Amino acid sequence: MKNILKVTLGLILMLSFTTTKGNLKAVVQNDKSDLKILYVGTNPDKPLSKRDKAYAVDTVRVIEMQKARTPDFEAFLNQYFNTVKVVYGEDFKEEMSASYDVTIIDTYLKAFAGGRSTDPETGKMVYERQRFLTEKYDAATIMIGEPSAYIGEGRELNIDHLCLCLDAHALGMKEEHPIFNKPFKVDMSREDVKLTGNYHARYSGRDLGESMPMWRIQTEGYRDEKGFPVGLVSSEFGFDNEIDSEWISSGTCDKGINSTAIGRHANFFHWGFAAAPEYLTESAKLAFINAVYYIAPFKGAKQITSKVKGTMTRALLREQQWTVSDQGSAAWLNYIEEGAVKQRENKKKLQAKKDEGKDLSEFEEMMLQTPDRKETRVWTIRHEPQELKDQYGENWAAYEKYYIDNMDYFYPIGYYDTKVDEDAKSLGIPNSDIKLLATAVKMLNNGDRSDMAMELLIRYTKESFKTAEEWAKWFKTNKKKLYFSEGDGYKFIVLP
Protein backbone atom coordinates (compact mmCIF):
# COMPACT_ATOMS: atom_id res chain seq x y z
CA MET A 1 0.00 0.00 0.00
CA LYS A 2 2.87 2.39 0.85
CA ASN A 3 4.43 1.81 -2.57
CA ILE A 4 1.12 2.45 -4.30
CA LEU A 5 0.58 5.70 -2.39
CA LYS A 6 4.13 6.79 -3.10
CA VAL A 7 3.85 6.28 -6.86
CA THR A 8 0.32 7.72 -6.95
CA LEU A 9 1.62 10.93 -5.35
CA GLY A 10 4.35 10.92 -7.97
CA LEU A 11 1.76 10.73 -10.70
CA ILE A 12 -0.15 13.66 -9.21
CA LEU A 13 3.03 15.73 -9.17
CA MET A 14 3.69 14.80 -12.78
CA LEU A 15 0.41 16.40 -13.81
CA SER A 16 2.26 19.70 -13.69
CA PHE A 17 4.38 18.41 -16.56
CA THR A 18 1.40 17.49 -18.76
CA THR A 19 2.19 18.75 -22.20
CA THR A 20 1.37 18.52 -25.86
CA LYS A 21 3.35 17.23 -28.79
CA GLY A 22 4.67 20.69 -29.56
CA ASN A 23 6.70 21.26 -26.39
CA LEU A 24 7.30 17.66 -25.32
CA LYS A 25 10.98 17.66 -26.17
CA ALA A 26 11.83 20.45 -23.74
CA VAL A 27 9.87 18.81 -20.96
CA VAL A 28 11.50 15.40 -21.20
CA GLN A 29 14.96 16.91 -21.45
CA ASN A 30 14.60 18.79 -18.16
CA ASP A 31 12.20 16.69 -16.11
CA LYS A 32 12.97 13.03 -16.48
CA SER A 33 11.29 10.63 -14.08
CA ASP A 34 13.06 8.83 -11.24
CA LEU A 35 11.14 5.62 -11.97
CA LYS A 36 13.73 2.89 -12.47
CA ILE A 37 13.23 0.90 -15.67
CA LEU A 38 14.54 -2.56 -16.57
CA TYR A 39 14.26 -3.29 -20.30
CA VAL A 40 14.59 -6.93 -21.39
CA GLY A 41 15.33 -7.08 -25.09
CA THR A 42 16.83 -9.15 -27.88
CA ASN A 43 20.59 -9.28 -28.31
CA PRO A 44 21.27 -7.32 -31.55
CA ASP A 45 23.93 -9.85 -32.52
CA LYS A 46 21.70 -12.87 -32.00
CA PRO A 47 20.95 -14.74 -35.26
CA LEU A 48 17.36 -15.03 -36.44
CA SER A 49 15.51 -18.04 -35.15
CA LYS A 50 14.31 -20.76 -37.51
CA ARG A 51 10.77 -19.48 -36.99
CA ASP A 52 11.75 -15.89 -37.81
CA LYS A 53 13.40 -17.01 -41.03
CA ALA A 54 10.43 -19.12 -42.03
CA TYR A 55 7.95 -16.24 -41.71
CA ALA A 56 10.20 -13.42 -42.92
CA VAL A 57 8.99 -11.72 -46.09
CA ASP A 58 12.26 -9.76 -46.23
CA THR A 59 14.99 -11.49 -44.22
CA VAL A 60 17.50 -8.68 -44.69
CA ARG A 61 15.10 -6.13 -43.28
CA VAL A 62 14.11 -8.35 -40.37
CA ILE A 63 17.78 -8.70 -39.40
CA GLU A 64 18.30 -4.94 -39.66
CA MET A 65 15.28 -4.21 -37.46
CA GLN A 66 16.36 -6.77 -34.88
CA LYS A 67 19.81 -5.19 -34.65
CA ALA A 68 18.32 -1.73 -34.14
CA ARG A 69 15.45 -2.63 -31.80
CA THR A 70 17.10 -2.86 -28.37
CA PRO A 71 19.34 0.22 -28.87
CA ASP A 72 16.26 2.09 -30.13
CA PHE A 73 14.24 1.24 -27.02
CA GLU A 74 17.16 2.11 -24.76
CA ALA A 75 17.54 5.55 -26.33
CA PHE A 76 13.78 6.14 -26.25
CA LEU A 77 13.39 5.24 -22.58
CA ASN A 78 16.43 7.30 -21.62
CA GLN A 79 14.60 10.40 -22.87
CA TYR A 80 12.02 9.98 -20.10
CA PHE A 81 13.70 8.13 -17.22
CA ASN A 82 16.91 8.72 -15.32
CA THR A 83 17.58 5.04 -14.73
CA VAL A 84 17.29 2.57 -17.62
CA LYS A 85 18.98 -0.82 -17.43
CA VAL A 86 19.11 -3.10 -20.48
CA VAL A 87 19.56 -6.86 -20.30
CA TYR A 88 19.15 -9.46 -23.03
CA GLY A 89 16.52 -12.15 -22.75
CA GLU A 90 19.03 -14.96 -22.25
CA ASP A 91 20.62 -13.07 -19.33
CA PHE A 92 17.41 -12.07 -17.59
CA LYS A 93 16.63 -13.46 -14.14
CA GLU A 94 13.30 -12.53 -12.64
CA GLU A 95 14.97 -11.55 -9.36
CA MET A 96 16.49 -8.58 -11.22
CA SER A 97 13.09 -6.88 -11.38
CA ALA A 98 13.01 -6.37 -7.62
CA SER A 99 15.46 -3.46 -7.98
CA TYR A 100 13.32 -1.64 -10.56
CA ASP A 101 9.93 0.06 -10.59
CA VAL A 102 8.91 -1.27 -14.02
CA THR A 103 10.18 -4.17 -16.11
CA ILE A 104 9.59 -4.09 -19.88
CA ILE A 105 9.81 -7.49 -21.58
CA ASP A 106 10.30 -7.20 -25.32
CA THR A 107 11.72 -10.59 -26.18
CA TYR A 108 11.02 -14.29 -25.79
CA LEU A 109 12.06 -15.77 -22.46
CA LYS A 110 13.23 -19.31 -21.92
CA ALA A 111 10.67 -21.57 -20.24
CA PHE A 112 11.74 -23.07 -16.92
CA ALA A 113 8.96 -25.67 -16.94
CA GLY A 114 6.36 -27.27 -19.17
CA GLY A 115 6.30 -28.03 -22.87
CA ARG A 116 6.00 -31.28 -24.81
CA SER A 117 7.11 -34.59 -23.39
CA THR A 118 6.41 -38.29 -23.80
CA ASP A 119 4.27 -40.09 -21.25
CA PRO A 120 6.49 -42.97 -20.06
CA GLU A 121 3.48 -45.26 -19.53
CA THR A 122 1.47 -44.65 -22.71
CA GLY A 123 4.22 -43.41 -25.01
CA LYS A 124 1.92 -40.60 -26.13
CA MET A 125 3.00 -37.01 -26.55
CA VAL A 126 1.66 -34.78 -23.77
CA TYR A 127 1.80 -31.04 -23.26
CA GLU A 128 2.01 -29.03 -20.07
CA ARG A 129 1.69 -25.27 -20.14
CA GLN A 130 5.06 -23.63 -20.40
CA ARG A 131 6.04 -21.30 -17.59
CA PHE A 132 8.38 -18.37 -17.98
CA LEU A 133 7.89 -16.42 -14.74
CA THR A 134 7.19 -18.02 -11.37
CA GLU A 135 4.10 -17.40 -9.27
CA LYS A 136 6.29 -15.31 -6.93
CA TYR A 137 7.04 -12.80 -9.67
CA ASP A 138 5.03 -9.65 -8.89
CA ALA A 139 7.02 -6.89 -10.59
CA ALA A 140 5.14 -4.17 -12.47
CA THR A 141 5.63 -5.44 -16.00
CA ILE A 142 4.89 -4.33 -19.56
CA MET A 143 4.99 -7.12 -22.12
CA ILE A 144 5.29 -6.23 -25.80
CA GLY A 145 3.92 -8.25 -28.71
CA GLU A 146 3.84 -12.04 -28.88
CA PRO A 147 6.04 -12.78 -25.81
CA SER A 148 3.17 -11.34 -23.78
CA ALA A 149 0.96 -14.32 -24.63
CA TYR A 150 3.52 -16.96 -23.71
CA ILE A 151 4.14 -15.33 -20.35
CA GLY A 152 0.42 -14.75 -19.84
CA GLU A 153 -0.61 -18.31 -20.55
CA GLY A 154 2.17 -19.59 -18.33
CA ARG A 155 0.75 -17.56 -15.45
CA GLU A 156 -2.89 -18.27 -16.43
CA LEU A 157 -3.55 -14.59 -17.07
CA ASN A 158 -6.33 -13.26 -19.28
CA ILE A 159 -3.51 -12.33 -21.65
CA ASP A 160 -3.43 -15.18 -24.16
CA HIS A 161 -2.37 -16.13 -27.67
CA LEU A 162 -5.61 -15.33 -29.50
CA CYS A 163 -4.01 -14.17 -32.73
CA LEU A 164 -0.65 -13.04 -34.05
CA CYS A 165 -2.37 -10.66 -36.49
CA LEU A 166 -2.32 -7.17 -34.94
CA ASP A 167 -1.48 -4.45 -37.44
CA ALA A 168 -0.93 -0.69 -37.16
CA HIS A 169 -4.08 0.92 -35.72
CA ALA A 170 -5.94 0.97 -32.40
CA LEU A 171 -9.72 1.19 -32.14
CA GLY A 172 -12.38 1.40 -29.47
CA MET A 173 -9.98 2.93 -26.96
CA LYS A 174 -11.20 3.79 -23.46
CA GLU A 175 -10.36 7.46 -23.87
CA GLU A 176 -10.72 8.23 -20.17
CA HIS A 177 -8.02 5.71 -19.24
CA PRO A 178 -4.86 7.15 -17.59
CA ILE A 179 -2.52 5.86 -20.34
CA PHE A 180 -4.16 8.34 -22.70
CA ASN A 181 -4.21 11.24 -20.28
CA LYS A 182 -1.33 11.42 -17.80
CA PRO A 183 1.31 12.48 -17.32
CA PHE A 184 1.04 13.31 -21.04
CA LYS A 185 -2.19 14.10 -22.86
CA VAL A 186 -2.37 11.85 -25.92
CA ASP A 187 -3.83 13.15 -29.16
CA MET A 188 -5.79 10.19 -30.49
CA SER A 189 -6.81 11.76 -33.79
CA ARG A 190 -8.66 9.22 -35.91
CA GLU A 191 -8.45 8.32 -39.55
CA ASP A 192 -11.04 6.30 -41.45
CA VAL A 193 -9.69 2.78 -42.03
CA LYS A 194 -11.24 0.05 -44.16
CA LEU A 195 -12.15 -3.02 -42.13
CA THR A 196 -10.38 -6.22 -43.08
CA GLY A 197 -10.20 -9.68 -41.57
CA ASN A 198 -13.31 -11.33 -40.17
CA TYR A 199 -14.82 -8.32 -38.40
CA HIS A 200 -18.12 -8.56 -40.27
CA ALA A 201 -18.38 -12.31 -39.74
CA ARG A 202 -18.44 -12.04 -35.97
CA TYR A 203 -21.39 -11.27 -33.74
CA SER A 204 -19.69 -8.10 -32.48
CA GLY A 205 -19.27 -6.86 -36.05
CA ARG A 206 -22.65 -7.72 -37.52
CA ASP A 207 -23.70 -4.05 -37.79
CA LEU A 208 -20.36 -2.55 -38.82
CA GLY A 209 -19.93 -0.52 -41.99
CA GLU A 210 -17.09 -0.89 -44.47
CA SER A 211 -14.73 1.27 -42.41
CA MET A 212 -14.41 2.90 -39.01
CA PRO A 213 -12.31 5.64 -37.37
CA MET A 214 -9.06 4.38 -35.89
CA TRP A 215 -5.97 5.79 -34.19
CA ARG A 216 -2.66 5.08 -35.90
CA ILE A 217 -0.15 3.53 -33.51
CA GLN A 218 2.56 2.48 -35.96
CA THR A 219 3.90 4.19 -39.07
CA GLU A 220 4.02 0.75 -40.69
CA GLY A 221 2.20 -2.55 -40.29
CA TYR A 222 2.74 -6.12 -41.36
CA ARG A 223 -0.10 -5.81 -43.88
CA ASP A 224 2.08 -3.41 -45.85
CA GLU A 225 3.96 -6.60 -46.83
CA LYS A 226 7.39 -5.06 -46.30
CA GLY A 227 8.58 -7.45 -43.64
CA PHE A 228 7.30 -5.53 -40.61
CA PRO A 229 6.80 -7.51 -37.36
CA VAL A 230 3.29 -8.68 -36.44
CA GLY A 231 1.59 -7.69 -33.19
CA LEU A 232 -0.57 -9.85 -30.97
CA VAL A 233 -4.15 -9.56 -29.73
CA SER A 234 -5.45 -11.43 -26.74
CA SER A 235 -8.99 -12.67 -26.33
CA GLU A 236 -11.44 -10.14 -24.94
CA PHE A 237 -13.15 -12.85 -22.92
CA GLY A 238 -12.35 -12.36 -19.24
CA PHE A 239 -11.02 -8.82 -19.39
CA ASP A 240 -12.81 -6.00 -17.56
CA ASN A 241 -13.83 -8.22 -14.64
CA GLU A 242 -13.59 -5.20 -12.30
CA ILE A 243 -11.49 -7.34 -9.95
CA ASP A 244 -7.92 -7.36 -11.25
CA SER A 245 -8.19 -7.15 -15.02
CA GLU A 246 -9.09 -4.39 -17.50
CA TRP A 247 -9.59 -4.03 -21.25
CA ILE A 248 -8.16 -0.79 -22.63
CA SER A 249 -8.10 -0.96 -26.44
CA SER A 250 -8.50 -3.18 -29.46
CA GLY A 251 -6.66 -2.91 -32.76
CA THR A 252 -6.76 -3.89 -36.41
CA CYS A 253 -6.60 -7.67 -36.54
CA ASP A 254 -8.52 -10.76 -37.67
CA LYS A 255 -10.40 -11.44 -34.43
CA GLY A 256 -13.05 -8.76 -34.13
CA ILE A 257 -13.45 -5.32 -32.62
CA ASN A 258 -13.37 -6.55 -29.01
CA SER A 259 -10.06 -8.38 -29.07
CA THR A 260 -7.44 -7.00 -26.69
CA ALA A 261 -4.53 -5.07 -28.14
CA ILE A 262 -3.89 -3.19 -24.88
CA GLY A 263 -4.97 -4.48 -21.49
CA ARG A 264 -3.89 -5.30 -17.95
CA HIS A 265 -4.19 -8.28 -15.63
CA ALA A 266 -2.83 -7.84 -12.10
CA ASN A 267 0.77 -6.53 -12.36
CA PHE A 268 1.07 -7.41 -16.05
CA PHE A 269 0.39 -4.90 -18.84
CA HIS A 270 -0.14 -6.18 -22.40
CA TRP A 271 1.03 -3.86 -25.20
CA GLY A 272 0.32 -5.96 -28.26
CA PHE A 273 1.70 -3.65 -30.93
CA ALA A 274 5.04 -4.87 -32.25
CA ALA A 275 6.72 -1.66 -33.42
CA ALA A 276 9.99 -0.38 -31.99
CA PRO A 277 9.96 3.34 -31.03
CA GLU A 278 11.35 4.32 -34.43
CA TYR A 279 8.07 3.15 -35.98
CA LEU A 280 5.66 4.43 -33.32
CA THR A 281 3.69 7.59 -34.01
CA GLU A 282 4.41 10.51 -31.68
CA SER A 283 1.06 10.04 -29.94
CA ALA A 284 1.65 6.30 -29.48
CA LYS A 285 5.04 7.02 -27.91
CA LEU A 286 3.32 9.16 -25.29
CA ALA A 287 0.74 6.44 -24.61
CA PHE A 288 3.52 3.90 -24.09
CA ILE A 289 5.35 6.17 -21.66
CA ASN A 290 2.08 6.82 -19.85
CA ALA A 291 1.64 3.04 -19.62
CA VAL A 292 4.99 2.82 -17.82
CA TYR A 293 3.78 5.35 -15.26
CA TYR A 294 0.42 3.61 -14.98
CA ILE A 295 1.70 0.10 -14.31
CA ALA A 296 4.34 1.19 -11.77
CA PRO A 297 1.96 1.28 -8.75
CA PHE A 298 0.95 -2.32 -9.49
CA LYS A 299 4.33 -3.60 -8.35
CA GLY A 300 3.50 -6.18 -5.72
CA ALA A 301 -0.10 -6.57 -6.88
CA LYS A 302 -1.44 -10.08 -6.45
CA GLN A 303 -3.26 -11.93 -9.18
CA ILE A 304 -6.75 -12.81 -7.95
CA THR A 305 -8.54 -14.24 -10.98
CA SER A 306 -7.14 -16.66 -13.54
CA LYS A 307 -7.93 -17.95 -17.00
CA VAL A 308 -7.27 -21.63 -17.49
CA LYS A 309 -6.17 -22.18 -21.07
CA GLY A 310 -8.91 -23.90 -23.07
CA THR A 311 -11.80 -22.68 -20.95
CA MET A 312 -14.91 -22.08 -23.06
CA THR A 313 -16.19 -18.78 -21.69
CA ARG A 314 -19.83 -17.70 -21.99
CA ALA A 315 -18.96 -15.02 -24.50
CA LEU A 316 -17.23 -17.61 -26.66
CA LEU A 317 -20.30 -19.84 -26.42
CA ARG A 318 -22.41 -16.93 -27.63
CA GLU A 319 -20.06 -16.60 -30.60
CA GLN A 320 -20.70 -20.27 -31.30
CA GLN A 321 -24.42 -19.61 -31.15
CA TRP A 322 -23.97 -16.81 -33.68
CA THR A 323 -21.85 -18.98 -35.96
CA VAL A 324 -24.50 -21.72 -36.29
CA SER A 325 -27.36 -19.23 -36.81
CA ASP A 326 -28.66 -18.39 -40.30
CA GLN A 327 -27.23 -14.87 -40.26
CA GLY A 328 -23.97 -15.82 -38.63
CA SER A 329 -23.22 -18.81 -40.83
CA ALA A 330 -23.93 -16.74 -43.96
CA ALA A 331 -21.54 -14.03 -42.74
CA TRP A 332 -18.78 -16.56 -42.04
CA LEU A 333 -19.16 -18.35 -45.39
CA ASN A 334 -19.05 -15.01 -47.20
CA TYR A 335 -15.84 -14.13 -45.35
CA ILE A 336 -14.28 -17.46 -46.27
CA GLU A 337 -15.17 -17.02 -49.94
CA GLU A 338 -13.67 -13.52 -49.99
CA GLY A 339 -10.51 -14.96 -48.45
CA ALA A 340 -10.43 -17.77 -51.01
CA VAL A 341 -10.56 -15.24 -53.85
CA LYS A 342 -7.64 -13.31 -52.36
CA GLN A 343 -5.75 -16.55 -51.78
CA ARG A 344 -6.09 -17.54 -55.43
CA GLU A 345 -4.87 -14.10 -56.53
CA ASN A 346 -1.88 -14.31 -54.18
CA LYS A 347 -0.98 -17.79 -55.42
CA LYS A 348 -0.93 -16.49 -58.99
CA LYS A 349 1.52 -13.75 -57.95
CA LEU A 350 3.73 -16.23 -56.09
CA GLN A 351 3.71 -18.63 -59.02
CA ALA A 352 4.66 -15.81 -61.38
CA LYS A 353 7.51 -14.87 -59.04
CA LYS A 354 8.71 -18.47 -59.02
CA ASP A 355 8.43 -18.73 -62.80
CA GLU A 356 10.69 -15.68 -63.09
CA GLY A 357 13.35 -17.67 -61.24
CA LYS A 358 13.06 -15.71 -58.00
CA ASP A 359 13.41 -17.49 -54.67
CA LEU A 360 10.38 -17.89 -52.45
CA SER A 361 10.64 -17.84 -48.67
CA GLU A 362 9.60 -20.94 -46.75
CA PHE A 363 6.36 -19.19 -45.85
CA GLU A 364 5.67 -18.15 -49.45
CA GLU A 365 6.32 -21.70 -50.65
CA MET A 366 3.87 -22.97 -48.06
CA MET A 367 1.25 -20.46 -49.23
CA LEU A 368 1.74 -21.53 -52.82
CA GLN A 369 1.08 -25.16 -51.92
CA THR A 370 -2.03 -24.40 -49.86
CA PRO A 371 -5.10 -25.94 -51.54
CA ASP A 372 -7.98 -23.72 -52.63
CA ARG A 373 -10.66 -23.41 -49.97
CA LYS A 374 -14.38 -24.00 -50.47
CA GLU A 375 -16.69 -24.45 -47.50
CA THR A 376 -20.38 -25.22 -47.00
CA ARG A 377 -22.62 -24.70 -43.99
CA VAL A 378 -21.39 -27.96 -42.50
CA TRP A 379 -18.17 -26.05 -41.74
CA THR A 380 -20.02 -23.87 -39.20
CA ILE A 381 -20.75 -26.87 -36.95
CA ARG A 382 -17.23 -28.29 -37.08
CA HIS A 383 -16.67 -27.55 -33.38
CA GLU A 384 -19.96 -28.99 -32.18
CA PRO A 385 -19.86 -32.25 -30.17
CA GLN A 386 -20.28 -35.35 -32.29
CA GLU A 387 -23.33 -36.42 -30.28
CA LEU A 388 -24.98 -33.11 -31.18
CA LYS A 389 -24.23 -33.65 -34.88
CA ASP A 390 -25.64 -37.17 -34.65
CA GLN A 391 -28.79 -35.80 -33.05
CA TYR A 392 -29.44 -32.74 -35.22
CA GLY A 393 -27.72 -33.55 -38.52
CA GLU A 394 -28.37 -30.56 -40.79
CA ASN A 395 -31.28 -29.19 -38.77
CA TRP A 396 -29.51 -25.83 -38.45
CA ALA A 397 -32.22 -24.19 -36.30
CA ALA A 398 -31.83 -26.93 -33.69
CA TYR A 399 -28.18 -26.03 -33.06
CA GLU A 400 -29.00 -22.40 -32.35
CA LYS A 401 -31.91 -23.39 -30.10
CA TYR A 402 -29.57 -25.68 -28.17
CA TYR A 403 -27.39 -22.71 -27.26
CA ILE A 404 -30.31 -20.43 -26.45
CA ASP A 405 -31.95 -23.00 -24.17
CA ASN A 406 -28.76 -23.92 -22.32
CA MET A 407 -26.64 -20.76 -22.24
CA ASP A 408 -27.04 -20.33 -18.48
CA TYR A 409 -26.07 -23.91 -17.72
CA PHE A 410 -22.93 -24.75 -19.70
CA TYR A 411 -19.81 -25.57 -17.71
CA PRO A 412 -16.32 -26.66 -18.84
CA ILE A 413 -15.29 -30.32 -18.82
CA GLY A 414 -12.09 -30.16 -20.84
CA TYR A 415 -10.08 -28.24 -23.41
CA TYR A 416 -12.67 -25.99 -25.14
CA ASP A 417 -15.29 -28.58 -24.24
CA THR A 418 -18.47 -28.01 -22.26
CA LYS A 419 -21.44 -29.85 -20.86
CA VAL A 420 -24.94 -28.77 -19.91
CA ASP A 421 -25.47 -28.89 -16.16
CA GLU A 422 -28.79 -30.73 -15.96
CA ASP A 423 -28.75 -30.43 -12.16
CA ALA A 424 -28.65 -26.61 -12.20
CA LYS A 425 -31.11 -26.58 -15.07
CA SER A 426 -33.57 -28.73 -13.11
CA LEU A 427 -33.41 -26.15 -10.31
CA GLY A 428 -33.86 -23.30 -12.79
CA ILE A 429 -30.88 -21.39 -11.38
CA PRO A 430 -28.04 -20.20 -13.71
CA ASN A 431 -24.71 -21.60 -12.59
CA SER A 432 -23.28 -18.07 -12.32
CA ASP A 433 -25.94 -17.10 -9.74
CA ILE A 434 -24.87 -17.32 -6.11
CA LYS A 435 -28.39 -18.55 -5.39
CA LEU A 436 -27.25 -21.90 -6.76
CA LEU A 437 -24.71 -22.29 -3.95
CA ALA A 438 -27.22 -21.08 -1.36
CA THR A 439 -29.77 -23.60 -2.63
CA ALA A 440 -27.24 -26.44 -2.64
CA VAL A 441 -26.18 -25.66 0.95
CA LYS A 442 -29.84 -25.63 2.02
CA MET A 443 -30.49 -28.93 0.21
CA LEU A 444 -27.50 -30.49 1.93
CA ASN A 445 -28.66 -29.32 5.35
CA ASN A 446 -32.17 -30.69 4.71
CA GLY A 447 -30.99 -33.99 3.29
CA ASP A 448 -32.72 -33.09 0.03
CA ARG A 449 -30.96 -34.73 -2.95
CA SER A 450 -27.69 -34.54 -1.03
CA ASP A 451 -25.59 -36.12 -3.77
CA MET A 452 -26.73 -33.51 -6.30
CA ALA A 453 -26.13 -30.70 -3.81
CA MET A 454 -22.63 -31.93 -3.01
CA GLU A 455 -21.75 -32.24 -6.71
CA LEU A 456 -22.94 -28.68 -7.41
CA LEU A 457 -20.90 -27.23 -4.55
CA ILE A 458 -17.74 -29.04 -5.59
CA ARG A 459 -18.32 -28.25 -9.29
CA TYR A 460 -18.62 -24.50 -8.77
CA THR A 461 -16.16 -23.83 -5.96
CA LYS A 462 -12.56 -24.71 -5.22
CA GLU A 463 -13.53 -26.36 -1.95
CA SER A 464 -14.00 -30.05 -1.09
CA PHE A 465 -15.70 -30.15 2.30
CA LYS A 466 -17.25 -33.45 3.35
CA THR A 467 -20.09 -32.36 5.64
CA ALA A 468 -23.12 -30.10 5.44
CA GLU A 469 -21.89 -28.20 8.51
CA GLU A 470 -18.56 -27.36 6.86
CA TRP A 471 -20.27 -26.13 3.68
CA ALA A 472 -22.76 -24.04 5.64
CA LYS A 473 -20.01 -22.41 7.71
CA TRP A 474 -17.86 -21.68 4.63
CA PHE A 475 -20.77 -20.18 2.71
CA LYS A 476 -21.91 -17.98 5.59
CA THR A 477 -18.36 -16.71 6.16
CA ASN A 478 -17.60 -15.94 2.51
CA LYS A 479 -20.97 -15.16 0.93
CA LYS A 480 -20.26 -11.44 0.48
CA LYS A 481 -16.80 -12.08 -0.98
CA LEU A 482 -17.73 -14.71 -3.59
CA TYR A 483 -17.10 -13.90 -7.26
CA PHE A 484 -18.05 -16.16 -10.17
CA SER A 485 -15.01 -16.48 -12.43
CA GLU A 486 -15.44 -18.16 -15.80
CA GLY A 487 -11.70 -18.06 -16.39
CA ASP A 488 -11.05 -20.06 -13.23
CA GLY A 489 -13.18 -22.85 -14.65
CA TYR A 490 -16.65 -21.52 -13.76
CA LYS A 491 -15.83 -21.35 -10.07
CA PHE A 492 -16.98 -19.05 -7.28
CA ILE A 493 -13.72 -17.75 -5.86
CA VAL A 494 -13.26 -15.94 -2.55
CA LEU A 495 -12.01 -12.40 -3.02
CA PRO A 496 -9.39 -11.08 -0.57
Side-chain angles (χ1 to χ4, degrees):
M1 179 61 73
K2 289 182 179 179
N3 287 338
I4 292 176
L5 290 173
K6 181 180 177 181
V7 180
T8 302
L9 288 171
L11 290 176
I12 294 172
L13 290 173
M14 279 302 299
L15 288 175
S16 61
F17 302 136
T18 299
T19 185
T20 59
K21 178 180 173 182
N23 62 355
L24 169 64
K25 189 173 182 180
V27 171
V28 298
Q29 283 179 340
N30 298 319
D31 297 291
K32 293 200 292 186
S33 169
D34 285 331
L35 288 175
K36 296 179 180 179
I37 311 302
L38 176 63
Y39 173 82
V40 186
T42 301
N43 186 335
D45 298 323
K46 187 176 181 179
L48 292 185
S49 67
K50 184 178 179 181
R51 181 171 183 255
D52 288 336
K53 291 179 181 178
Y55 285 92
V57 175
D58 184 340
T59 304
V60 173
R61 190 178 188 213
V62 172
I63 292 173
E64 290 176 348
M65 286 192 291
Q66 178 171 294
K67 285 183 174 296
R69 188 176 183 95
T70 294
D72 185 16
F73 258 107
E74 182 176 16
F76 170 60
L77 293 168
N78 270 310
Q79 293 178 57
Y80 297 87
F81 304 101
N82 286 316
T83 302
V84 177
K85 172 68 175 177
V86 172
V87 299
Y88 300 141
E90 57 268 31
D91 301 321
F92 173 68
K93 301 290 187 295
E94 65 177 57
E95 307 85 62
M96 296 176 178
S97 295
S99 301
Y100 297 87
D101 296 299
V102 176
T103 299
I104 300 172
I105 299 178
D106 185 35
T107 190
Y108 298 96
L109 303 181
K110 184 178 180 180
F112 68 84
R116 291 181 175 83
S117 61
T118 302
D119 188 313
E121 294 183 3
T122 65
K124 294 182 179 180
M125 186 69 71
V126 294
Y127 179 82
E128 180 187 356
R129 66 183 171 95
Q130 288 185 297
R131 280 162 283 176
F132 301 85
L133 295 172
T134 69
E135 300 301 318
K136 294 180 180 179
Y137 181 86
D138 61 0
T141 304
I142 293 179
M143 306 179 296
I144 300 174
E146 189 181 32
S148 183
Y150 290 111
I151 295 169
E153 290 178 353
R155 281 286 300 263
E156 295 190 331
L157 299 171
N158 288 327
I159 303 165
D160 63 12
H161 207 293
L162 176 64
C163 184
L164 189 64
C165 57
L166 179 59
D167 201 41
H169 290 80
L171 57 94
M173 301 77 68
K174 286 190 172 181
E175 296 187 33
E176 72 283 0
H177 196 278
I179 74 160
F180 305 127
N181 293 283
K182 59 184 182 181
F184 303 109
K185 183 66 177 176
V186 177
D187 177 11
M188 291 184 287
S189 297
R190 315 298 206 274
E191 56 188 50
D192 212 37
V193 179
K194 180 178 174 58
L195 295 176
T196 57
N198 55 30
Y199 282 83
H200 294 99
R202 294 177 175 273
Y203 179 76
S204 58
R206 64 196 183 282
D207 298 322
L208 291 176
E210 291 303 308
S211 62
M212 66 184 299
M214 300 184 191
W215 169 40
R216 179 173 280 278
I217 294 285
Q218 302 175 174
T219 57
E220 282 189 51
Y222 82 95
R223 289 177 180 174
D224 295 329
E225 298 183 352
K226 297 179 181 179
F228 203 78
V230 187
L232 181 131
V233 287
S234 174
S235 170
E236 74 271 27
F237 308 137
F239 276 94
D240 261 0
N241 60 22
E242 298 182 353
I243 304 298
D244 62 350
S245 181
E246 57 181 333
W247 185 99
I248 299 172
S249 178
S250 185
T252 45
C253 64
D254 295 329
K255 295 297 180 180
I257 61 172
N258 295 325
S259 55
T260 308
I262 303 175
R264 178 189 65 84
H265 191 172
N267 54 304
F268 293 94
F269 191 97
H270 169 62
W271 179 276
F273 295 95
E278 178 184 356
Y279 301 97
L280 288 175
T281 61
E282 291 303 312
S283 58
K285 289 177 183 178
L286 293 185
F288 186 89
I289 294 301
N290 286 350
V292 176
Y293 279 95
Y294 178 69
I295 198 64
F298 290 95
K299 183 174 183 178
K302 301 300 181 184
Q303 180 182 344
I304 300 170
T305 63
S306 300
K307 182 165 72 175
V308 179
K309 185 175 175 62
T311 298
M312 196 79 163
T313 61
R314 202 89 66 184
L316 192 52
L317 286 164
R318 291 193 179 96
E319 282 289 341
Q320 286 292 97
Q321 176 187 328
W322 162 256
T323 300
V324 299
S325 70
D326 289 343
Q327 186 180 354
S329 61
W332 273 108
L333 292 174
N334 180 65
Y335 162 72
I336 290 172
E337 178 55 29
E338 289 178 349
V341 171
K342 293 178 181 178
Q343 182 188 44
R344 289 192 287 270
E345 292 174 351
N346 187 47
K347 287 173 69 175
K348 287 181 181 179
K349 293 178 182 178
L350 291 175
Q351 187 61 56
K353 180 179 177 180
K354 191 171 185 177
D355 292 342
E356 291 173 3
K358 297 179 180 178
D359 293 332
L360 299 184
S361 69
E362 185 178 334
F363 179 70
E364 288 175 324
E365 191 64 51
M366 181 180 70
M367 293 298 296
L368 185 60
Q369 301 304 320
T370 302
D372 291 340
R373 189 176 183 186
K374 181 68 178 177
E375 304 291 356
T376 65
R377 189 160 181 176
V378 173
W379 176 86
T380 65
I381 61 169
R382 67 198 185 285
H383 294 313
E384 303 306 322
Q386 188 58 48
E387 57 267 27
L388 218 60
K389 297 177 187 177
D390 293 340
Q391 183 178 353
Y392 297 143
E394 295 188 6
N395 181 358
W396 311 119
Y399 290 98
E400 184 178 13
K401 187 176 186 300
Y402 168 76
Y403 281 102
I404 293 172
D405 291 347
N406 297 299
M407 189 57 71
D408 288 335
Y409 306 105
F410 287 111
Y411 70 97
I413 58 172
Y415 191 78
Y416 288 113
D417 195 9
T418 58
K419 185 177 181 180
V420 176
D421 190 334
E422 297 295 347
D423 294 335
K425 192 174 181 181
S426 70
L427 296 172
I429 306 174
N431 56 14
S432 59
D433 192 335
I434 197 171
K435 290 180 182 178
L436 184 63
L437 296 189
T439 300
V441 169
K442 184 177 180 180
M443 288 169 61
L444 208 57
N445 282 332
N446 295 337
D448 175 17
R449 292 165 288 178
S450 298
D451 289 344
M452 176 199 291
M454 185 67 78
E455 287 181 10
L456 287 171
L457 290 167
I458 292 174
R459 184 176 298 153
Y460 296 112
T461 73
K462 295 187 176 183
E463 311 302 330
S464 56
F465 301 118
K466 302 297 183 183
T467 67
E469 291 77 12
E470 289 175 303
W471 279 111
K473 180 180 179 181
W474 173 84
F475 184 69
K476 183 179 180 180
T477 302
N478 298 294
K479 181 179 179 180
K480 294 182 179 180
K481 298 189 293 182
L482 290 174
Y483 170 75
F484 185 76
S485 173
E486 293 181 8
D488 282 273
Y490 286 47
K491 303 286 188 183
F492 281 93
I493 62 174
V494 181
L495 299 179

